[in-house]
Amino acid sequence: MMATFFRFLIVASVTITSSSLPVKVRVCTEALCSDCKNFVHKTLIPVYSQLGPDVMDLQLVPFGNAHLQRDGSVKCQHGVGECDANAYELCAIQASPNAKDYLPFIGCLAETLPMGRSNEPLDQQLFQQCAESNNLWWSRIQACHDIPQAIGNLVKKAASETPADHTSVPWIEIEGDHMDEEKLDFKTEVCKAFVAGGGSHRACDGVLGTTQFG
């Protein structure tokens, strides 16, 4: 039921905009992270459901505070369980690169997976259930996850897309500039950037104090 709810939120997004390029938004996260879970549930999914792809060009990068080792392996803050969950998320994003498709899966995992350190991979069925309940191609995600070279390439790409100077997760960038989610409102900052680029959207009216649609 929870997974279906998240998918409904995003599919039901109202996209009433004027012509403008969407705002580039990068969100660097990691699995099993309570702060990431809270941001995804309380902020990212609700805001994306209101603004949608016409306003937000969203890039989610599940790597966070992980470190690539010299031997090519990766060490994650929350242990093997996080590395494995990050891998599933990377594979899901590769298989279904549109945020409206993969965000419900990410939201489902954040709700389903136990937060905190795990020194063992989590039950595969948890990932399968979240994929299938959100209409993602599970066999493709599983195949990607089970091929070391494929995962290795995705992890290296995610590492390169995570700013080396990031100090916490979630780490949010709007048009390349870091946004401190503890001090600034995510929706407001995205709307400001969109309007500054010449765009307008009904969902931005309330936060910016404007009336762009009759």
Side-chain angles (χ1 to χ4, degrees), residues 27 39-40 42-49 56 58 60 103 186:
V27 178
F39 179 75
V40 167
K42 297 179 180 179
T43 303
L44 184 59
I45 287 178
V47 170
Y48 191 82
S49 73
M56 291 176 60
L58 177 62
L60 190 75
L103 258 189
F186 178 64

Side-chain angles (χ1 to χ4, degrees), residues 122-165:
L122 300 174
D123 188 347
Q124 178 181 281
Q125 287 190 344
L126 298 174
F127 301 94
Q128 182 174 356
Q129 289 168 0
C130 281
E132 292 178 344
S133 65
N134 287 289
N135 299 320
L136 294 190
W137 195 344
W138 167 247
S139 61
R140 180 176 292 182
I141 295 171
Q142 184 181 29
C144 164
H145 173 272
D146 293 345
I147 300 174
Q149 184 176 357
I151 286 298
N153 291 336
L154 289 177
V155 168
K156 288 178 182 177
K157 183 173 182 290
S160 70
E161 293 171 342
T162 301
D165 62 349

Side-chain angles (χ1 to χ4, degrees), residues 47-70:
V47 170
Y48 191 82
S49 73
Q50 294 171 46
L51 301 181
D54 290 339
V55 177
M56 291 176 60
D57 179 6
L58 177 62
Q59 178 190 25
L60 190 75
V61 186
F63 185 80
N65 293 320
H67 294 281
L68 285 176
Q69 307 299 296
R70 290 185 177 182

